[in-house]
Amino acid sequence: MPGTNHPGSALAAWCAAALLAGCASLGPQLPMEAADEVESESLAFGVRTLGATGEFELVSSVEVARRLQAARGDRPLSILALSSGGASGAFGAGALAGLTTSGTRPEFTVVTGVSSGALVAPFAFLGPSWDDKMTEIFTTGETDGLLQSRGLGAVFGSSVYSGEPLRRLIERYADDAMIAAIAAEAARGRLLLVATTDFNSGESVIWDLGSIALHGDKHAKPMIQTLLLASASVPGMLPPVTVTVRSQGKMRAETHVDGGVTMPFFIVPAPQDLPQEAAGAPQSTMVRVIIDGPLRNLPRRTHANAFSIFSRSLSAGLSHITRAQLESTVDAVRQRGISLEYAAIPASYPLRGAFDFGPDAQRSLFEFAASCAAADRFWIPAHAGSGERVSERLAAAGRPMCPADDSFMEHLAALKN
């Protein structure tokens, strides 16, 4: 059944993927920029922003910080980063709905998203009035069938699964109304950013979707839809996406894939460019990170077959990479005197697989995150932990463990103090 993980079908899919290695010379070549075009853009951390002229320019993190300061004046700066996570994007979406319920959801000045986090980012950016549509995606079976096998066609194509189901889902929700709403918020100085990976250069690319909505005219909607699709297209599983851009007077076609290939999440402006907080003064900047996955993996039995071993190894690797990124981010923002809160899926939560888009799994994860956020048991402050074994107390009481109850994540938050 599409959208549900079955050991046999999953193994068949990965066997097909393995065959691709032996057929590397088959299939058409992907679009590729010329060497001089690649070198024309600095590899420094920056944001691709569409100007009123219809051309993209690379705006540095320092300049982004300056523009934000000019737009917000004395108002607090609130940044939300949504991570990659495959089918676990339902966690971040549920958290937003729960924060709305509790009345604690702020208006985020900047929202960034990677992969599945990129798909949720527009809803986070647009606020509670869009919660119904977001909730519909994850609780009514809209994600069922996203992984549509291409069968033997995968051997001669660019992916195991077709990208069309995800494309149709994005087109259904990233409609004219959403693009107009994004443009209106961007005009107020707020930022909606998503990341892809340039497949040919292997570098991360950060896109300013608000500027595209503002200046893209009739091309805004298809461009934003294409970038959301590219950000969530896991290489080998979903086809790479061709993105056509105009920059420095030239049109060029680029190949982009999942932003999670190069970074699990990101903060803009870069932490070193955020305003320094004065000691003892009221906090003017808050950074929050929602990690759509666990930061550790509990011991569990693994079958002695290639797919199980690969899946387990991949999960462990992603957890460690995300944890390392989180630790470096916490350390960087602390140096600026800035507050940071984060949340991740507790290792004890029974995830059914990184790519289980079945309706039951999606609804359960969404409702879990929503209930934790509504009960004020979601965020973990990045400061010294209390040392209490909260998780053991909850387990003894028979209560479900929320992110804020997880002693491992509480300990992680205190590591650099």
Side-chain angles (χ1 to χ4, degrees), residues 119-396:
L119 302 181
V120 176
F123 297 101
F125 183 70
L126 294 177
S129 62
W130 288 76
D131 279 5
D132 287 347
K133 288 184 178 295
M134 179 182 68
T135 301
E136 180 179 275
I137 294 174
F138 295 99
T139 64
T140 65
E142 288 288 308
T143 59
D144 194 24
L146 281 184
L147 297 184
Q148 180 179 310
S149 175
R150 300 179 65 224
L152 291 178
V155 177
F156 303 101
S158 58
S159 64
V160 174
Y161 299 105
S162 168
E164 285 308 304
L166 180 57
R167 181 184 294 276
R168 288 194 296 268
L169 181 67
I170 291 171
E171 290 176 349
R172 188 179 311 143
Y173 287 93
D175 55 11
D176 291 327
M178 175 176 278
I179 305 307
I182 291 173
E185 294 305 314
R188 296 176 52 214
R190 298 174 64 218
L191 291 177
L192 172 60
L193 311 173
V194 302
T196 62
T197 298
D198 185 319
F199 189 70
N200 292 306
S201 71
E203 296 295 329
S204 302
V205 181
I206 298 172
W207 304 84
D208 181 351
L209 298 192
S211 69
I212 298 172
L214 269 175
H215 304 303
D217 195 30
K218 65 181 180 180
H219 302 295
K221 182 172 72 171
M223 182 67 171
I224 288 174
Q225 291 171 344
T226 296
L227 292 174
L228 292 175
L229 177 64
S231 186
S233 292
V234 180
M237 293 193 66
L238 296 176
V241 176
T242 299
V243 181
T244 303
V245 297
R246 182 176 182 83
S247 178
Q248 300 179 343
K250 297 179 181 179
M251 295 292 294
R252 66 173 186 260
E254 302 174 348
T255 300
H256 286 260
V257 296
D258 193 330
V261 169
T262 44
M263 56 184 175
F265 66 87
F266 65 99
I267 304 295
V268 171
Q272 64 268 24
D273 299 322
L274 291 171
Q276 180 76 47
E277 297 282 359
Q283 289 283 305
S284 63
T285 303
M286 170 61 82
V287 176
R288 293 180 176 90
V289 180
I290 297 179
I291 296 169
D292 288 329
L295 290 173
R296 63 167 176 161
N297 294 275
L298 295 178
R300 71 168 186 262
R301 293 185 181 278
T302 301
H303 294 288
N305 61 65
F307 174 75
S308 295
I309 293 170
F310 176 81
S311 179
R312 178 63 170 168
S313 300
L314 179 63
S315 177
L318 290 175
S319 295
H320 279 273
I321 290 170
T322 303
R323 197 161 71 219
Q325 174 82 358
L326 178 63
E327 289 174 340
S328 65
T329 300
V330 168
D331 189 45
V333 299
R334 276 183 179 155
Q335 292 180 27
R336 309 296 292 172
I338 294 168
S339 296
L340 183 144
E341 297 178 337
Y342 69 91
I345 301 175
S348 60
Y349 182 86
L351 283 174
R352 305 180 189 179
F355 300 103
D356 185 354
F357 292 98
D360 291 342
Q362 293 288 286
R363 187 183 308 109
S364 294
L365 184 55
F366 181 95
E367 292 176 349
F368 164 74
S371 64
C372 289
D376 195 26
R377 292 163 56 204
F378 188 74
W379 297 115
I380 302 165
H383 55 58
S386 65
E388 298 177 11
R389 300 294 293 181
V390 182
S391 57
E392 293 179 359
R393 218 171 45 238
L394 288 167

Side-chain angles (χ1 to χ4, degrees), residues 53-146:
T53 62
E55 290 203 356
F56 280 98
E57 61 173 334
L58 191 68
V59 178
S60 70
S61 172
V62 172
E63 177 60 16
V64 170
R66 188 197 67 77
R67 294 181 185 182
L68 279 173
Q69 179 64 37
R72 73 187 179 96
D74 295 331
R75 288 174 295 171
L77 175 62
S78 179
I79 300 173
L80 173 67
L82 296 159
S83 85
S84 58
S88 296
F91 178 73
L96 291 166
L99 293 173
T100 297
T101 299
S102 68
T104 59
R105 178 173 169 180
E107 178 183 83
F108 299 106
T109 318
V110 180
V111 176
T112 74
V114 178
S115 192
S116 57
L119 302 181
V120 176
F123 297 101
F125 183 70
L126 294 177
S129 62
W130 288 76
D131 279 5
D132 287 347
K133 288 184 178 295
M134 179 182 68
T135 301
E136 180 179 275
I137 294 174
F138 295 99
T139 64
T140 65
E142 288 288 308
T143 59
D144 194 24
L146 281 184

